[in-house]
Amino acid sequence: MKDFYLKNRDFIMEVIHFGMVGVINTLMGWVIMAVLYNLIHLNYWLSSGISYFIGSVFSYHANARLTFKVENKDKWLPWRFAVNIIVCYLAAFSVAQPLVRKVLASQPQVIVDNVAMFLGMCMFIVLNFFGQKLFVFRKTKKHQAGM
């Protein structure tokens, strides 16, 4: 087990940091949405949209600095991040709903939808991690040589 850890230490630490950023991001998003919706009385879409935007900005900066340790930022990083979020969301939720619908065909729609949303979120997390690692915050050959 120790050999496995030593061999994969960087990847394991990226997963742990990504998870920590995700937990903070989720808690922050829920607080922002709850305050905007329940205390300020903005509508559902505005509250969730503002919360999601702030969470995405936080996630972008936190994952760039803490998870993937990006030092040499280029102008395309925010665009790659946005494309990654959109592609991962569409891929995860487009697969989750039909899959759960087939598996739980005899269940009420409310159960199917909730299970599909949960599965979609889980799939999104995995796709988003690899999308950020391999596409958004990828290490170029020039950058790897300097390490």
Side-chain angles (χ1 to χ4, degrees), residues 12-66:
I12 291 167
M13 293 310 296
E14 285 177 346
V15 170
I16 291 169
H17 286 130
F18 188 82
M20 290 170 31
V21 168
V23 168
I24 293 167
N25 189 25
T26 299
L27 293 173
M28 181 179 66
W30 280 340
V31 168
I32 292 168
M33 191 166 29
V35 167
L36 292 175
Y37 184 79
N38 295 307
L39 298 178
I40 300 177
H41 302 292
L42 294 180
N43 70 41
Y44 170 82
W45 290 108
L46 199 51
S47 298
S48 61
I50 291 169
S51 172
Y52 187 82
F53 176 78
I54 292 169
S56 293
V57 171
F58 167 77
S59 178
Y60 169 77
H61 290 291
N63 281 317
R65 289 189 180 106
L66 301 173

Side-chain angles (χ1 to χ4, degrees), residues 96-107:
Q97 192 174 40
L99 180 64
V100 171
R101 203 177 274 153
K102 283 184 182 185
V103 172
L104 300 178
S106 63
Q107 297 299 315

Side-chain angles (χ1 to χ4, degrees), residues 83-144:
V83 166
N84 179 65
I85 293 294
I86 292 166
V87 168
C88 290
Y89 172 80
L90 291 173
F93 285 85
S94 295
V95 169
Q97 192 174 40
L99 180 64
V100 171
R101 203 177 274 153
K102 283 184 182 185
V103 172
L104 300 178
S106 63
Q107 297 299 315
Q109 188 65 39
V110 67
I111 291 174
V112 171
D113 287 346
N114 279 286
V115 171
M117 286 187 283
F118 179 76
L119 179 61
M121 289 183 339
C122 293
M123 292 169 65
F124 175 84
I125 290 167
V126 173
L127 292 172
N128 187 34
F129 172 79
F130 285 106
Q132 287 191 37
K133 179 172 179 55
L134 302 173
F135 176 65
V136 178
F137 300 115
R138 67 183 180 251
K139 304 243 190 301
T140 62
K141 290 183 184 188
K142 185 170 106 177
H143 186 251
Q144 288 175 340

